[in-house]
Amino acid sequence: MVLKIEHLTGGYTGVPVIKDINLEIKPGEALGLIGLNGAGKSTTIKHLLGLLRPQKGTITLNEVNLTAQPTAFKRQVAYIPEMPVLYPELTLKEHLQLTMMSYGLKETEAWPRAQKLLTDFRLADKLDWLPIHFSKGMQQKVMIVAAFLADTALLVIDEPFTGLDPLAVAKLLALIKQAISSGKMVLMTTHVLADAQQAISNYAVLNNGTIEMIGSLTEIRQHYGLKPDDSFDRLYQVLNQEQA
């Protein structure tokens, strides 16, 4: 069981945004994908979700090829987007029921898990609410609940801390740690490394569409000549200088 991205080149209208990306995540591992805006993080995620077709390379999850078996591949993936995507005419309860149907979950087994997640994120009394009644942070919590309810092999998490209050950030980090300890795979993009490093130990630095290095934050500091006490704002300054 493993996620493999091999020699992935892709982007839009034939113009490569990412070039020869190679990543591997094993069960019980979490990888942070970091880099400047425009480095290719969103393009990589869109390829992983099957929203873009690779120009070259392959993506497989537990030996299921995304291009050859897209439905079977996507059944193994849950996604938390940076910007919540909710159906305006569906209540919170209906969103969760849609998640259960999409992933083939038995409601008798899924609802107890959903209730625990709803309680954790203070949404248990809002099952009949429509998205219009939710704040940005609450909409993000709905996406988190739905993703962890799906109970998939791989979690793809894109800038998850945006709009979350400190209690919700702590709950999310605890869920990520729990997922890792239970053998799930996690790929997260974030600029908030102070929070991310509580759950993620290894990072891939994406710069100008290529992976420059993979390692711990300590190894990344050493690679880019940063001091041990440098903030990670300094890392982005170095990456920006490389692009200049």
Side-chain angles (χ1 to χ4, degrees):
M1 293 179 65
V2 64
L3 169 70
K4 286 186 178 181
I5 300 176
E6 299 177 285
H7 303 292
L8 177 64
T9 295
Y12 306 89
T13 62
V15 178
V17 175
I18 52 175
K19 306 140 195 158
D20 200 35
I21 298 291
N22 292 279
L23 290 174
E24 182 174 301
I25 305 177
K26 297 177 181 177
E29 292 182 351
L31 182 71
L33 188 62
I34 59 177
L36 294 171
N37 292 335
K41 302 186 301 297
S42 294
T43 302
T44 302
I45 286 179
K46 287 178 180 178
H47 277 287
L48 183 55
L49 298 175
L51 301 176
L52 293 174
R53 181 174 289 273
Q55 296 169 18
K56 295 179 183 177
T58 60
I59 303 173
T60 58
L61 179 55
N62 299 334
E63 299 184 352
V64 177
N65 184 287
L66 172 56
T67 302
Q69 300 171 275
T71 300
F73 184 100
K74 293 173 184 178
R75 275 278 182 98
Q76 301 182 80
V77 182
Y79 174 48
I80 303 174
E82 179 179 7
M83 295 298 295
V85 181
L86 298 174
Y87 296 97
E89 69 278 9
L90 297 185
T91 64
L92 170 55
K93 181 178 181 180
E94 289 168 335
H95 275 93
L96 298 181
Q97 289 173 325
L98 181 60
T99 299
M100 294 174 195
M101 290 173 57
S102 299
Y103 286 94
L105 305 177
K106 293 182 178 180
E107 289 201 17
T108 53
E109 298 174 0
W111 269 116
R113 188 162 69 250
Q115 290 292 347
K116 174 65 167 60
L117 289 164
L118 290 166
T119 300
D120 285 346
F121 287 96
R122 305 190 301 284
L123 294 172
D125 59 346
K126 298 173 177 60
L127 282 170
D128 294 326
W129 284 29
L130 292 167
I132 194 173
H133 300 127
F134 290 119
S135 68
K136 165 66 165 61
M138 294 171 73
Q139 289 183 18
Q140 187 70 349
K141 292 176 185 178
V142 174
M143 303 305 296
I144 293 168
V145 169
F148 282 93
L149 173 63
D151 195 30
T152 57
L154 173 66
L155 281 159
V156 179
I157 308 175
D158 189 9
E159 296 291 349
F161 305 116
T162 304
L164 293 183
D165 57 68
L167 287 176
V169 169
K171 288 292 185 183
L172 173 58
L173 290 171
L175 284 172
I176 294 171
K177 292 177 185 176
Q178 181 180 337
I180 296 166
S181 66
S182 66
K184 308 294 186 186
M185 294 167 270
V186 176
L187 177 66
M188 179 195 291
T189 73
T190 183
H191 294 301
V192 189
L193 298 183
D195 287 330
Q197 64 184 326
Q198 296 181 49
I200 294 177
S201 56
N202 282 326
Y203 298 80
V205 180
L206 190 58
N207 197 23
N208 288 316
T210 62
I211 299 292
E212 286 196 339
M213 77 158 298
I214 299 175
S216 67
L217 292 180
T218 298
E219 291 168 335
I220 289 170
R221 277 192 171 104
Q222 293 172 346
H223 178 84
Y224 289 99
L226 305 182
K227 298 176 182 178
D229 58 348
D230 277 343
S231 73
F232 286 100
D233 289 343
R234 178 64 185 141
L235 169 62
Y236 289 108
Q237 291 171 6
V238 171
L239 295 175
N240 189 52
Q241 290 168 1
E242 289 185 0
Q243 289 191 2

